[in-house]
Structures are given as structure tokens and as C-alpha cells.
Amino acid sequence: MFAKPVRGRTTADAEGDVVVLLIGMRINHFWAVHQWLPVMMAMPRMLRELARDRGRGLLGHVLLTASPRTYYVVQYWESKEQLYAYAASPDMFHHRVWALINRREREGRERGHVGLWHEAYVVPEGSYESIYVDMPAFGLAAAHGQVPVERRGRTARDRFAHRSAKAAQEAN
């Protein structure tokens, strides 16, 4: 059940740009369980839907909490185009949930009981680095693979400077 830690220092085996989505919710009124519980339960359903179809582009995710009120997911995607395609696809659960939320808001039925947010980033190669010490694959490494740190550089500066074979070829 639990992943075994990889001994020593490792780094993520990401190549090229990295697409990261932070998406979450904040419970504004704990007593309004009927408002926030369906929102909280929607995210695991979307993650299961994406896990069934790897071709949609979700590479990995981490569920986190910032406080007893705030929960979020860090998601790693193959491309921003695949992220957009999933979000807009009428046959996916996300689209149905957003349609419901938008309809309730237009009807004045949203009362501020739950807050929703997301931030999306495309991080260019050379603008990210990672290190994991005695850790199982986690975060970026779980999404892209985990390699010994020596493959990318012992220092953060070296890992930031690392370029994929494709990027090195394009530079020449």
C-alpha cells in the first residue's frame, strides 16, 4: 500500500515544459455541509475519471490541505492543451459540475458557503528543479519519473541548467 522510499538523493525525470494545475476549495461555513460536501466529493470523482483514461493527459496528482477549511490538489499535466480539452469536454464530469455551479450562481442560489479556486502554470524547461532525499516518488517525480540526482546535477544550479536532449538539439 505505501510506497517504499528510494534511498539517497533523487530528482524528477521531467523533460521539456511542465504543466501544473493547483485547484481547490475553501469551506466558508462549516454548518453548510449540504453545500460544500458535494464540491469536496466531486474532485475524487474527476481524478478517478482521469485515471481511467491516461490519454486525457493527467500525469499525476497530490491531494493536500492548507487548513481545516482549505483543500486542494496539485496536478501535473502533459500539456496545457490537454488540460483545456478535459475542462471543456462536455462528456466529462468536470464540465457537468461547472455547468451546475454556473447555473446556481446565475439563479442566485450560491450563498458563499464554499469558495473555489484554481491556478495553472506552464513552467518552461530550465525554470524548475527538484530534489528528494530518501523519498518515494512524490509530486513532480511521481508524475514524470524519478532518477538519481547525479543524472541532473548535484546542485540546484546544475539541475536548473539541465536541458533535455530535444532542447539541446533545438539549441544547436
Side-chain angles (χ1 to χ4, degrees):
M1 172 90 190
F2 292 102
K4 291 188 178 194
V6 175
R7 296 271 304 138
R9 293 173 183 244
T10 59
T11 191
D13 195 20
E15 299 281 336
D17 295 348
V18 171
V19 179
V20 182
L21 173 69
L22 308 177
I23 186 166
M25 63 170 279
R26 180 182 189 276
I27 300 169
N28 293 329
H29 302 117
F30 282 112
W31 52 266
V33 177
H34 64 289
Q35 294 286 333
W36 58 261
L37 187 60
V39 174
M40 182 176 274
M41 300 309 294
M43 183 53 69
R45 182 171 171 185
M46 286 182 240
L47 293 171
R48 284 191 306 272
E49 178 179 67
L50 285 161
R52 283 192 300 272
D53 185 358
R54 295 284 181 196
R56 293 266 176 200
L58 181 67
L59 299 173
H61 69 277
V62 179
L63 300 168
L64 299 167
T65 181
S67 73
R69 291 182 180 274
T70 307
Y71 302 88
Y72 65 106
V73 184
V74 179
Q75 297 180 358
Y76 302 93
W77 286 79
E78 284 185 39
S79 70
K80 67 181 179 186
E81 291 76 20
Q82 287 174 297
L83 171 59
Y84 295 155
Y86 174 73
S89 179
D91 60 327
M92 295 285 104
F93 185 60
H94 176 271
H95 191 270
R96 292 195 308 266
V97 169
W98 267 109
L100 175 68
I101 289 169
N102 289 335
R103 186 172 53 252
R104 290 175 59 106
E105 190 174 32
R106 278 191 309 276
E107 294 168 355
R109 293 174 44 209
E110 289 300 321
R111 306 272 193 266
H113 299 300
V114 61
L116 302 171
W117 62 275
H118 86 254
E119 299 173 0
Y121 305 94
V122 177
V123 186
E125 186 171 57
S127 298
Y128 59 86
E129 71 89 22
S130 62
I131 190 165
Y132 311 92
V133 180
D134 296 334
M135 284 286 295
F138 182 84
L140 191 60
H144 288 274
Q146 188 175 21
V147 295
V149 76
E150 292 79 12
R151 291 221 357 227
R152 298 292 173 99
R154 298 280 310 157
T155 68
R157 181 182 310 245
D158 292 339
R159 291 187 299 277
F160 271 119
H162 174 81
R163 295 294 178 269
S164 64
K166 180 180 174 186
Q169 184 180 26
E170 289 173 359
N172 292 331

